[in-house]
Amino acid sequence: MRKYVPKDNVQAKSYYTDRFWVAPRVPRSTVEDTHFLAVVEAVGTQANETYVELGQLVIHINPKNNFEVMKTLKEKCGYTQCSEQSAVDYLAQDNEFELFWQLLNINEAKRIRVICRLANGLAIESIEPLYKSANFAEREMFDMFGIKVNNHPFLKRILMPDDWEGNPLLKTYPLQGDEFASWYEVDKIFGKEYRDIIGPENRDPAKIDTEDTKRFSRVGYEVPFGADISEGETKTAIEYSETFLVDYNKNSSKQLDERR
Amino acid sequence: MQVANKLSPFFENLNFERDDNTMVINFGPQHPSAHGQLRLVLELDGEQVVKAYPDIGYLHRGIEKMAENMTYNEFLPTTDRLDYIASTSNNYAYALAVEKLIGVEAPRRAQVIRTMLLELNRIISHLFFVATHALDVGAMSVFLYAFREREFAMDLMEDYCGARLTHSAVRIGGVPLDIPKGWLENAAAFCDKVDYEVEHTYEALLTENRIWKMRLEDVGVISAEDALSWGCSGVMLRGSGVKWDIRKEEPYELYPELDFDIPISDRCDSYGRYKLYIEEMRQSTRIIRQLIPMYKDTKPQLMAHSPQYISAPKEEIMTQNYALMQHFVLVTQGMRPPKGEVYIPTESPKGELGFYIKSEGEPYAYRLKCRAPSFFHTGLLQKLLVGTYIADVVTIIGTTNIVFGEVDR
Amino acid sequence: MAQHQVNYASSAGLPIALTSVDKLVNWGRSNSLWPLTYGLACCAIEMMASGASRYDFDRMGTIFRASPRQADVMILAGTLSKKHSEFARRLYDQMTEPKWVISMGSCANTGGMFNTYATVQGVDRIIPVDIYLPGCAPRPETLQYAMMMLQKKIRKESADMKKNTKQDLTTQTGKRARLI
């Protein structure tokens, strides 16, 4: 029977999971009596959920007011740097993306993470007017997930070529790429008509083409290029192993006591 | 867009027919001073840059996608190829993030070794910076001298882990190997050598050199607010007068016990950053010297004891049944960290290198995001280059110290 | 150069002048191989190291050039991504004949550990390769060894580059095509 592969998530899966296995969760603590209390009060009702996870405050917000929350955090709480921002694909489970912003307060050495859930197909407001680092980070998010960003100055693909198809970090995108990806360089350089001549990609790094006598011939069985080896090769003496060490004499060489 | 193939090549290098009298010039992606595969599209008015557009992605290899398809231990050697000039700092940042997620702490000897390797990598990276920056600006001899010292540091790395460039010298939960015999003495000798050469070669050749100063002073000026807003970190931030070093402010590993200074510069230009790199090398040798006596008081345990996540030492695997079973499960299935998400920043030689890991309790990370300092420094180029002259472009690219394995991932 | 054969008449071979031009030309070609600094990724650092102080490449007549017009051999050091592939091919086309290619490192040879959507699975898909240098990253000594192997290969070749077979590609249908 053919193995079942879910279409909505083609990433690697564990081949065996105990039926009774329940994954534990990293402990979360409440914000009370931590130094993040002022931040939570400043954000106020715009925060849906707040907790502290592994020493960093996590704030869940609505995607609609991400700009206002960031503005509050930057201007009232001193979070002057947005060190990272990206998304997580939850399309298979909830048809949503989880977006996160990692903010840093340099003066007090505090980090918080702002999280929102954005439904598939909706766009998020750009925070580029507040944090210039979002210029590249949002372009990368657009490139990798296809999440549109409103009011971004230059929303174009950044890592993949402009004429690329598909968003690589989606869970539906296979690791080794789709058909477009596998022929990309051939189509671009030579044209589609060269696909036949060049042939498909060899994704098996251990594959050895025994017919390819020029590049991969077996050691000791080398034959001239293009020779017909369907009848089997004849064994030849290995030339280099004898000549390589022929003059090696330990007495004549001097070993340095230390590296100069 | 024109479809380019062999028969109809597509020349976008120069475009003269424009109404606004500016010239568009293409720089890279294969240029000797592009530090890898940076492509810059520059709009020039005379010799002055009026618009710069960094085009990246020429080394995009899908490392974040690979992380979703590999178990946590499998992925570790891939992190070598992020910032390939200082591999151990990537290994360490990744290992630390996973360790925080699973809640283990490396034993003390492993911590000493890790800190030594991190600082050694910092010296390697900074020497490389001095070499390539000087080569870009035009001082060829400094390149040769700096590579000479860098080879000694590579020898030390090679003695420890067997690799010159892609070390994988850190594991999740500790380090794989103990320090070989005579390594500490070599490391101490290397520190002396670096200190001597920094003072008598690089500083003597460059710091007061008239040409060097003219090429670097007041080039690539970035204010503190801009540096923060553009997501700069590391030397780019300290060169603008912001005192921020993750080793001091959010300490990890043995850094709280060590005595070292964080040099800052308020010159905001390339020359100030060059001075910081030189000074940081001295601080790194100072750290390594302090760590050598600390190593001698540690117990020989190298990997943390945490059977659920980390394999037992080899002797136990070979002698005890349960350890062998656990090892088998960990190798074939991989560790399953608890559900949760973690973002851990570390101070790599280039700046803030952090890993965001989202775990769903599976042996594969649900999402791994590598926060690479160079990525944001490349984004800064579109601000930094505007208004400068074309002769300074290479200096500014050099001073940001970007490495493209990290930018494109 | 010292290996001159004098009894061409008795062996009834090619005219004496042509054979020695071959040798003379190949001697010149093989001893001043100027590579194009085509550093792409990690291997580029090792390529730089082989040009720098300890593994001084200049003593072998190998001087790195920054322009494809001045280069004889392209050392493709590192991962070639699909976005970059057209530039690699263009630089190869810009090099003047005779030209050779060394594919340095696992990523350039076969795609290596980056078996992903964004990486070209072996640069021989787009340019013909003469020497495959394994390793991740190969040490500078091995790059020097690869250069010596290339010299050995050039000395065996004909001076007329049209006679030298480059890499052949076998199609699915069994017909062979030449990647020039």
Side-chain angles (χ1 to χ4, degrees):
Chain A
M1 209 169 74
R2 198 190 299 159
K3 202 177 127 202
Y4 172 68
V5 182
K7 292 271 190 306
D8 50 6
N9 186 350
V10 291
Q11 309 309 309
K13 301 271 187 337
S14 179
Y15 70 92
Y16 173 75
T17 304
D18 191 339
R19 280 166 64 200
F20 303 105
W21 163 258
V22 179
R25 175 168 275 290
V26 170
R28 290 172 171 174
S29 55
T30 52
V31 192
E32 273 84 53
D33 58 75
T34 60
H35 53 289
F36 289 117
L37 204 56
V39 181
V40 176
E41 279 165 7
V43 178
T45 54
Q46 286 176 319
N48 296 341
E49 192 188 356
T50 51
Y51 52 86
V52 176
E53 187 173 1
L54 293 169
Q56 294 181 10
L57 175 68
V58 183
I59 305 177
H60 286 259
I61 59 166
N62 282 328
K64 278 184 185 149
N65 45 21
N66 72 319
F67 190 84
E68 288 86 65
V69 173
M70 296 290 169
K71 199 166 177 179
T72 317
L73 288 171
K74 186 182 180 188
E75 284 164 8
K76 295 202 181 137
C77 309
Y79 285 89
T80 46
Q81 193 171 49
C82 177
S83 48
E84 182 56 288
Q85 116 178 53
S86 194
V88 187
D89 178 359
Y90 280 106
L91 292 182
Q93 293 91 329
D94 314 319
N95 202 23
E96 280 177 337
F97 289 106
E98 188 180 288
L99 273 60
F100 66 90
W101 292 267
Q102 190 74 40
L103 302 183
L104 166 65
N105 184 340
I106 291 252
N107 298 323
E108 300 168 39
K110 291 192 298 194
R111 286 177 193 272
I112 60 172
R113 180 161 52 244
V114 181
I115 286 180
C116 77
R117 286 275 183 141
L118 183 72
N120 189 14
L122 294 188
I124 192 86
E125 181 68 21
S126 170
I127 58 160
E128 204 263 350
L130 298 172
Y131 302 103
K132 296 286 178 202
S133 59
N135 189 327
F136 260 34
E138 280 170 356
R139 276 178 70 187
E140 193 197 340
M141 188 169 78
F142 169 73
D143 188 358
M144 292 288 140
F145 292 94
I147 300 171
K148 297 233 170 41
V149 184
N150 288 336
N151 298 327
H152 189 280
F154 191 67
L155 194 65
K156 268 181 76 177
R157 281 191 184 269
I158 184 167
L159 293 180
M160 303 315 292
D162 285 338
D163 51 352
W164 191 262
E165 284 174 13
N167 301 101
L169 275 180
L170 291 180
K171 292 281 177 193
T172 48
Y173 195 88
L175 171 68
Q176 305 191 335
D178 49 14
E179 196 193 329
F180 172 82
S182 66
W183 292 107
Y184 180 80
E185 74 273 20
V186 176
D187 290 357
K188 186 108 182 177
I189 297 169
F190 302 109
K192 276 202 166 86
E193 63 274 20
Y194 272 75
R195 280 190 184 190
D196 274 358
I197 295 166
I198 290 178
E201 283 180 323
N202 171 21
R203 291 275 181 181
D204 178 7
K207 188 187 170 194
I208 290 177
D209 183 6
T210 49
E211 300 291 318
D212 189 352
T213 52
K214 178 143 182 164
R215 286 180 292 170
F216 301 108
S217 54
R218 291 193 291 143
V219 174
Y221 292 90
E222 289 93 348
V223 286
F225 169 57
D228 185 21
I229 52 167
S230 53
E231 302 294 314
E233 317 92 311
T234 47
K235 191 166 169 58
T236 46
I238 301 175
E239 187 187 336
Y240 48 84
S241 62
E242 291 161 22
T243 53
F244 195 61
L245 293 177
V246 72
D247 287 332
Y248 186 67
N249 183 1
K250 266 193 175 164
N251 302 324
S252 66
S253 64
K254 182 181 182 306
Q255 203 157 19
L256 297 176
D257 295 327
E258 59 174 7
R259 270 195 169 118
R260 277 182 295 179
Chain B
M1 194 182 154
Q2 181 193 350
V3 179
N5 58 30
K6 242 191 108 205
L7 302 174
S8 58
F10 177 45
F11 297 107
E12 83 288 322
N13 273 12
L14 291 173
N15 187 355
F16 291 105
E17 290 170 20
R18 289 171 65 94
D19 299 331
D20 50 358
N21 249 347
T22 56
M23 181 165 75
V24 175
I25 199 166
N26 178 55
F27 175 99
Q30 180 45 46
H31 187 274
S33 40
H35 279 235
Q37 308 187 25
L38 171 66
R39 179 172 168 215
L40 272 176
V41 181
L42 300 168
E43 208 173 308
L44 299 178
D45 180 15
E47 280 203 56
Q48 209 165 19
V49 180
V50 287
K51 202 173 170 195
Y53 164 60
D55 187 11
I56 61 172
Y58 290 99
L59 192 53
H60 179 63
R61 303 182 275 198
I63 286 182
E64 283 169 12
K65 187 79 173 175
M66 284 168 81
E68 294 174 15
N69 289 281
M70 290 166 116
T71 61
Y72 287 88
N73 273 318
E74 268 178 342
F75 182 64
L76 196 121
T78 316
T79 58
D80 278 339
R81 280 86 184 162
L82 283 169
D83 173 5
Y84 36 75
I85 296 166
S87 301
T88 309
S89 54
N90 308 307
N91 300 150
Y92 177 72
Y94 173 69
L96 186 69
V98 180
E99 280 166 20
K100 280 274 168 14
L101 194 62
I102 61 181
V104 303
E105 197 180 353
R108 188 162 172 88
R109 175 165 287 194
Q111 288 190 346
V112 174
I113 295 174
R114 282 171 169 205
T115 319
M116 269 200 269
L117 294 181
L118 286 178
E119 291 306 317
L120 196 59
N121 271 274
R122 198 178 304 276
I123 295 174
I124 291 177
S125 173
H126 285 5
L127 280 171
F128 191 84
F129 165 79
V130 173
T132 50
H133 193 32
L135 187 66
D136 290 348
V137 173
M140 175 90 185
S141 49
V142 180
F143 167 77
L144 295 173
Y145 285 124
F147 259 70
R148 183 186 62 186
E149 266 70 64
R150 189 170 170 271
E151 289 292 338
F152 293 120
M154 303 279 248
D155 283 342
L156 281 176
M157 281 314 296
E158 202 184 325
D159 283 351
Y160 176 67
C161 66
R164 273 167 57 88
L165 206 65
T166 45
H167 307 140
S168 304
V170 171
R171 295 284 186 277
I172 297 167
V175 288
L177 303 158
D178 206 347
I179 278 179
K181 212 176 118 196
W183 197 88
L184 293 171
E185 292 76 34
N186 290 344
F190 171 72
C191 288
D192 296 340
K193 190 184 269 293
V194 167
D195 279 352
Y196 180 84
E197 296 290 346
V198 162
E199 193 181 342
H200 291 88
T201 310
Y202 314 131
E203 289 229 285
L205 278 171
L206 293 176
T207 306
E208 293 304 321
N209 188 325
R210 262 193 314 163
I211 305 169
W212 182 254
K213 283 181 101 166
M214 282 162 77
R215 290 296 304 269
L216 261 68
E217 276 180 346
D218 300 325
V219 169
V221 177
I222 176 94
S223 68
E225 293 86 63
D226 277 343
L228 281 170
S229 176
W230 282 94
C232 293
S233 48
V235 174
M236 288 296 282
L237 203 54
R238 292 194 286 276
S240 296
V242 182
K243 196 168 167 68
W244 176 257
D245 189 309
I246 297 166
R247 291 177 292 173
K248 280 276 189 210
E249 308 287 337
E250 300 174 306
Y252 53 94
E253 218 59 44
L254 288 178
Y255 287 116
E257 299 174 30
L258 295 164
D259 182 26
F260 62 102
D261 298 329
I262 302 301
I264 62 166
S265 155
D266 51 6
R267 293 183 59 102
C268 306
D269 64 354
S270 306
Y271 188 72
R273 277 173 228 133
Y274 153 74
K275 297 270 274 186
L276 290 189
Y277 278 110
I278 292 283
E279 186 55 35
E280 283 202 2
M281 277 197 264
R282 292 212 181 93
Q283 298 300 328
S284 292
T285 56
R286 194 171 149 199
I287 293 175
I288 294 177
R289 282 209 192 85
Q290 290 171 41
L291 283 165
I292 289 170
M294 284 165 93
Y295 172 81
K296 285 161 187 155
D297 322 324
T298 51
K299 292 196 191 77
Q301 191 192 355
L302 287 175
M303 293 289 276
H305 178 73
S306 172
Q308 199 184 345
Y309 301 115
I310 293 159
S311 292
K314 211 69 183 169
E315 308 88 77
E316 280 184 34
I317 292 174
M318 292 303 182
T319 50
Q320 294 175 21
N321 198 4
Y322 186 76
L324 177 66
M325 284 156 63
Q326 194 65 45
H327 179 67
F328 184 75
V329 170
L330 284 174
V331 168
T332 53
Q333 296 183 18
M335 66 166 85
R336 292 168 190 260
K339 279 185 190 175
E341 50 191 20
V342 64
Y343 174 78
I344 299 294
T346 58
E347 183 78 18
S348 92
K350 308 276 184 303
E352 176 186 329
L353 175 69
F355 277 90
Y356 169 88
I357 299 176
K358 177 119 192 166
S359 159
E360 291 281 319
E362 292 287 309
Y364 304 95
Y366 194 76
R367 172 90 167 96
L368 183 140
K369 180 84 179 78
C370 167
R371 193 270 181 211
S374 302
F375 181 74
F376 294 98
H377 294 167
T378 316
L380 174 70
L381 285 179
Q382 50 192 317
K383 158 134 187 93
L384 210 50
L385 289 176
V386 173
T388 59
Y389 289 94
I390 185 106
D392 292 335
V393 168
V394 166
T395 315
I396 294 173
I397 295 171
T399 190
T400 48
N401 197 8
I402 46 183
V403 53
F404 268 78
E406 209 173 52
V407 176
D408 299 336
R409 297 181 295 274
Chain C
M1 268 307 278
Q3 305 163 359
H4 274 296
Q5 200 180 354
V6 283
N7 55 346
Y8 282 97
S10 61
S11 62
L14 293 166
I16 188 163
L18 186 64
T19 339
S20 64
V21 165
D22 262 14
K23 282 197 173 162
L24 180 71
V25 168
N26 282 337
W27 170 76
R29 279 177 182 169
S30 64
N31 282 315
S32 68
L33 284 172
W34 285 6
L36 171 69
T37 49
Y38 201 13
L40 294 169
C42 333
C43 297
I45 310 298
E46 290 297 63
M47 191 171 71
M48 284 172 80
S50 33
S53 13
R54 186 184 286 180
Y55 303 95
D56 183 15
F57 236 163
D58 292 3
R59 70 203 153 109
M60 304 172 80
T62 305
I63 300 162
F64 285 104
R65 306 306 300 178
S67 161
R69 305 284 186 201
Q70 304 163 349
D72 304 311
V73 51
M74 179 191 254
I75 303 181
L76 237 154
T79 321
L80 186 69
S81 70
K82 302 218 170 185
K83 193 176 179 181
H84 197 115
S85 56
E86 53 172 325
F87 297 99
R89 178 68 204 191
R90 195 186 303 171
L91 284 176
Y92 177 76
D93 287 342
Q94 282 175 354
M95 281 165 65
T96 48
E97 289 273 356
K99 52 190 174 186
W100 297 273
V101 178
I102 294 178
S103 147
M104 180 181 180
S106 300
C107 295
N109 292 344
T110 65
M113 69 194 296
F114 297 104
N115 192 355
T116 61
Y117 56 91
T119 313
V120 175
Q121 301 295 307
V123 293
D124 49 6
R125 280 176 71 73
I126 55 168
I127 50 178
V129 176
D130 290 285
I131 303 281
Y132 294 86
L133 172 57
C136 186
R139 299 172 61 90
E141 295 97 318
T142 55
L143 181 58
Q144 292 182 336
Y145 185 62
M147 218 58 177
M148 282 152 66
M149 283 288 113
L150 183 63
Q151 286 180 335
K152 210 169 164 180
K153 179 174 178 175
I154 291 169
R155 284 173 197 144
K156 279 184 187 167
E157 278 182 346
S158 163
D160 181 7
M161 286 304 283
K162 288 203 181 96
K163 286 185 186 160
N164 297 328
T165 49
K166 284 276 178 184
Q167 165 203 344
D168 278 23
L169 295 162
T170 314
T171 60
Q172 289 297 84
T173 51
K175 81 180 170 205
R176 278 185 177 272
R178 221 179 117 194
L179 190 66
I180 40 170

